[in-house]
Amino acid sequence: MEAVVSTQSTWKQWYQRRVHGSSGINAEYMGRFAKLDIRIRVSGGGYTSQIYAVRQAIAKAVVAYNQKFVDEVSKREIKETLIAYDRSLLVADPRRCEPKKFGGRSARARFQKSYR
């Protein structure tokens, strides 16, 4: 699999550079889809959120590829394998930053009340 990420050399080198050699996607997962050519552009967020976004994009692309060009059985098998490995590969994290409101310094914190 030769995937270009944000004008970096390859997906594997970029990923290893970001997390200092720790592996998030095992070799079997990378080797199974060696014939695919994936191009991903990442912007915004920090290193960790970019890594999770790239992992999720690759996993979703592989599932969609198998659904469209292979067959439904292999798609279901790959999807179950990925969910068993790490559910965040296919399911996005819905948490977002809560907006600041008036009367305090953040979304939930309030200014201290004083009677004098």
Side-chain angles (χ1 to χ4, degrees):
M1 177 193 302
E2 189 72 20
V4 179
V5 179
S6 296
T7 66
Q8 301 285 340
S9 52
T10 63
W11 147 253
K12 196 171 185 180
Q13 291 170 352
W14 181 85
Y15 187 80
Q16 287 175 348
R17 222 176 296 147
R18 297 289 185 170
V19 292
H20 310 292
S22 64
S23 177
I25 299 176
N26 58 10
E28 177 190 337
Y29 174 72
M30 295 291 279
R32 250 177 113 171
F33 312 107
K35 63 183 177 182
L36 296 178
D37 184 29
I38 301 172
R39 296 175 196 278
I40 300 169
R41 179 167 292 159
V42 181
S43 65
Y47 293 146
T48 306
S49 61
Q50 285 185 354
I51 289 168
Y52 282 114
V54 168
R55 290 174 72 222
Q56 189 175 39
I58 290 175
K60 285 185 173 186
V62 166
V63 170
Y65 174 83
N66 277 286
Q67 181 178 8
K68 188 170 184 177
F69 296 111
V70 186
D71 61 348
E72 193 69 28
V73 175
S74 65
K75 175 221 147 189
R76 193 173 303 122
E77 174 189 323
I78 289 168
K79 194 171 181 179
E80 289 171 1
T81 304
L82 290 174
I83 287 178
Y85 178 70
D86 186 5
R87 189 167 188 268
S88 68
L89 286 172
L90 295 176
V91 180
D93 188 3
R95 295 179 289 184
R96 299 291 179 260
C97 186
E98 188 175 351
K100 182 192 177 301
K101 289 138 187 121
F102 60 87
R105 56 182 167 73
S106 65
R108 298 288 175 103
R110 300 288 121 217
F111 292 130
Q112 190 171 8
K113 190 172 181 181
S114 174
Y115 289 101
R116 294 186 186 203

